[in-house]
Amino acid sequence: QVQLAESGGGLVQAGGSLRLSCAASTTFNINTVAWYRQAPEKQRELVAAIGSRGNTNVADSVKGRFTISRDDAKKIVYLQITNLKPEDTAVYFCRCWLGQADYWGQGTQVTVSS
């Protein structure tokens, strides 16, 4: 079992930056960790993922502004967001896979004002 806890969200002005953190409760012997977001009345979408070797995949819609990284010693995966836009407003979730199971955090709210 893995517990994931996101943090770092908040209210920011357009053009600002945030760094979201996803902290895992157990040894970070996890393959892939991903960040998703869900805006009001929209489906949850994948924005970035990082593999155990540090290989990354970022959605085209946010490429160039979103960067995912991981610190296995601290058991944290980060999502750095720059040049925030109002359309980035959403709840951001992290998800990980361990064996056959996957786990989600409870999310952190990001609100971008214009």
Side-chain angles (χ1 to χ4, degrees):
Q1 185 107 12
V2 179
Q3 282 82 47
L4 300 174
E6 302 93 336
S7 62
L11 173 62
V12 295
Q13 288 189 332
S17 299
L18 280 175
R19 188 177 75 164
L20 306 183
S21 298
C22 171
S25 62
T26 63
T27 303
F28 217 49
N29 192 20
I30 291 168
N31 186 6
T32 299
V33 180
W35 280 96
Y36 290 73
R37 68 183 180 184
Q38 187 165 20
E41 300 182 0
K42 291 191 176 181
Q43 287 190 333
R44 194 170 295 189
E45 63 171 342
L46 173 67
V47 294
I50 186 165
S52 59
R53 300 179 182 178
N55 48 304
T56 62
N57 190 11
V58 179
D60 288 342
S61 60
V62 299
K63 198 166 288 184
R65 299 192 300 117
F66 285 36
T67 303
I68 188 170
S69 61
R70 62 193 290 166
D71 186 333
D72 286 352
K74 294 182 178 178
K75 297 180 284 185
I76 297 177
V77 170
Y78 300 102
L79 184 68
Q80 179 73 44
I81 310 174
T82 60
N83 190 22
L84 277 154
K85 302 177 180 181
E87 52 264 39
D88 294 322
T89 295
V91 179
Y92 285 72
F93 300 88
C94 63
R95 180 186 187 188
C96 74
W97 288 263
L98 183 62
Q100 299 296 317
D102 68 312
Y103 302 89
W104 290 87
Q106 292 189 329
T108 186
Q109 175 71 47
V110 172
T111 303
V112 184
S113 63
S114 56

